[in-house]
Amino acid sequence: MRSSATDGSWNWQMRGNGTMASRDDTTLGNELRLTLLDCDPQWLNSVEKVSGLVRDLCERLDVTIRSTVEHQFEPQGISVVAILAESHCAVHTWPEEGKATVDIFSCGPADPVEVVPMLVRAFNAQDIRVEVSERAAVSAPSTHSYPNFPEYILREPPYGHFPVTTFRRGVGREYILEPEAVSWQKFFTSSDYEPPAGTDILLLHPCSWAKPYDFSHFITRLRSVTDRFPRVHRAVISNVGVVPFEYQMNDFFCSYDYMDLDADRPVEDKQSIADDFTRITAQRISDYIGAHSTRYRAVVILGHPFANGYQAAVQQAAVKAGLPGFQAPSVDTYHAAQVEVSEDRDWDAPLFADRSLDELAQKLTMLVAAVDRREAADAH
């Protein structure tokens, strides 16, 4: 939701230097390991609710329960374990920490990932951590460039095997916290991922309705600026997380669209969804900058200059890492751009208006010069 505007400036200190993948004879089955955080405490300490949920999960997965063990810990906490004809399903809760863990292993055709949205809704989880794997499968991820566009990287989803990607449209935590989205974010904030060689200025910008992002009208306009600065590395702030531009061609990032929050729904639902999205995305931005703070020399955000935008998350993470940077466009430029694109219904249109991109280019020129000067000073 909109709130008061900010001037977009801050004083950052320059720093010195559908189905699971097919299994072969060496693979035992599919496993889901899920941690649900900030959950509804009424669910976390109810044996009846958790046991009922385990039965619902198994029914949804079409697996057969052979026996069930339930235990209520003192003073709080629950464990429910179902022994399946296909393997097991275990749920453990920690009400005092607002946390639950779920482990589902199936040696049959069941795809445990299918029940993650069901679990998020049931526990009213505010965040999740997820791993999906083929137990005992050992293989290196297949990575290659996109045909005729070597700047884009295609690879298998990290840290597990996920259902075949299908188009998704919806709003709510179960979409923001899709298991594959969480897995990609874990990869992008790990030592397994490195920004492209030769880039050391991070530029964060919004996603686009059209996919892939780089071939949309707005991002094509943005690239006319950023392509002039070889040191700039773009990363997209999207509903599925922070996406480094070079990975955008992977199926998962090309097949989603989330409905407008202005759709016919209660005001409290809109606010709750908006709050969830802002909180989770701000944390993903902070995690990404923190993970690569020694790799970048500066951070820039192209975003709405409002107090409840992502400027604050970017600024806080950058200041903590000792990275300089700026936010564009300024408030005055933004308001003028709103008039310029008043007939465009896209909320992000002012960010890609001529005057906004001209300001971005000017500020990038000054930032690159400042980073060059600091590097020259450090060399002496």
Side-chain angles (χ1 to χ4, degrees):
M1 305 301 171
R2 298 190 188 190
S3 64
S4 59
T6 66
D7 65 5
S9 62
W10 51 73
N11 294 319
W12 294 356
Q13 296 298 313
M14 276 280 191
R15 70 172 178 87
N17 245 351
T19 54
M20 300 291 283
S22 60
R23 299 198 296 269
D24 58 29
D25 293 338
T26 66
T27 302
L28 298 177
N30 304 320
E31 184 173 26
L32 167 72
R33 295 180 298 278
L34 176 69
T35 301
L36 300 113
L37 304 173
D38 298 326
C39 299
D40 183 346
Q42 292 184 351
W43 270 83
L44 295 176
N45 213 34
S46 170
V47 172
E48 180 180 358
K49 290 181 183 294
V50 175
S51 295
L53 177 60
V54 169
R55 290 192 296 272
D56 291 343
L57 294 175
C58 293
E59 181 179 352
R60 173 69 179 272
L61 292 173
D62 195 25
V63 294
T64 304
I65 298 177
R66 296 300 191 194
S67 64
T68 303
V69 177
E70 303 169 353
H71 184 75
Q72 173 80 59
F73 293 92
E74 294 295 339
Q76 56 193 348
I78 293 167
S79 286
V80 177
V81 179
I83 304 303
L84 311 176
E86 297 81 2
S87 194
H88 73 264
C89 172
V91 178
H92 308 283
T93 74
W94 289 263
E96 71 277 16
E97 298 180 16
K99 181 173 71 175
T101 64
V102 180
D103 184 278
I104 303 174
F105 177 59
S106 171
C107 58
D111 178 3
V113 176
E114 292 180 3
V115 298
V116 172
M118 184 177 176
L119 286 159
V120 170
R121 288 192 297 269
F123 284 105
N124 195 25
Q126 303 300 303
D127 200 359
I128 65 172
R129 301 290 183 269
V130 63
E131 292 185 19
V132 186
S133 65
E134 288 183 337
R135 184 174 289 183
V138 180
S139 60
S142 173
T143 302
H144 56 278
S145 61
Y146 194 87
N148 299 320
F149 293 91
E151 65 269 33
Y152 302 115
I153 299 172
L154 298 178
R155 64 157 285 161
E156 297 172 0
Y159 311 128
H161 301 276
F162 297 88
V164 173
T165 300
T166 58
F167 185 80
R168 297 100 60 212
R169 173 176 284 137
V171 291
R173 278 194 303 276
E174 61 264 39
Y175 293 95
I176 302 170
L177 297 176
E178 288 186 87
E180 189 170 341
V182 175
S183 184
W184 278 107
Q185 291 310 295
K186 179 180 177 182
F187 169 66
F188 291 142
T189 56
S190 74
S191 58
D192 294 329
Y193 168 75
E194 290 187 0
T199 63
D200 58 5
I201 296 176
L202 172 64
L203 190 152
L204 294 155
H205 64 81
C207 64
S208 58
W209 280 5
K211 313 293 188 304
Y213 312 121
D214 274 10
F215 296 88
S216 67
H217 173 65
F218 284 163
I219 309 304
T220 297
R221 290 176 58 80
L222 173 62
R223 290 174 61 197
S224 70
V225 172
T226 58
D227 286 355
R228 290 152 36 196
F229 299 89
R231 297 178 67 166
V232 168
H233 177 227
R234 291 183 297 107
V236 183
I237 301 174
S238 78
N239 300 320
V240 293
V242 177
V243 183
F245 89 93
E246 67 271 21
Y247 279 89
Q248 65 183 275
M249 291 295 195
N250 287 275
D251 290 349
F252 186 75
F253 303 121
C254 295
S255 55
Y256 73 91
D257 185 25
Y258 295 157
M259 294 178 290
D260 193 338
L261 280 179
D262 290 333
D264 185 18
R265 63 178 65 244
V267 173
E268 59 272 20
D269 285 359
K270 295 180 186 178
Q271 188 61 54
S272 176
I273 292 170
D275 289 346
D276 285 343
F277 181 76
T278 299
R279 174 180 55 80
I280 293 170
T281 304
Q283 185 60 54
R284 287 171 169 172
I285 291 171
S286 178
D287 290 346
Y288 181 86
I289 294 175
H292 304 294
S293 60
T294 60
R295 189 62 180 71
Y296 292 118
R297 298 284 286 172
V299 180
V300 175
I301 178 170
L302 178 69
H304 302 275
F306 295 105
N308 64 341
Y310 297 116
Q311 171 184 322
V314 174
Q315 178 182 354
Q316 290 169 8
V319 169
K320 182 178 180 180
L323 296 169
F326 63 84
Q327 183 268 333
S330 65
V331 172
D332 289 343
T333 299
Y334 181 83
H335 288 318
Q338 284 182 307
V339 175
E340 179 183 329
V341 297
S342 59
E343 295 185 1
D344 194 319
R345 292 184 297 171
D346 194 309
W347 162 253
D348 289 327
L351 304 179
F352 301 97
D354 287 341
R355 66 183 67 237
S356 296
L357 295 179
D358 287 344
E359 180 183 295
L360 174 66
Q362 293 170 6
K363 288 185 173 181
L364 278 174
T365 299
M366 292 187 289
L367 178 64
V368 170
V371 172
D372 284 343
R373 288 194 297 272
R374 174 49 61 96
E375 288 181 339
D378 290 343
H380 293 84

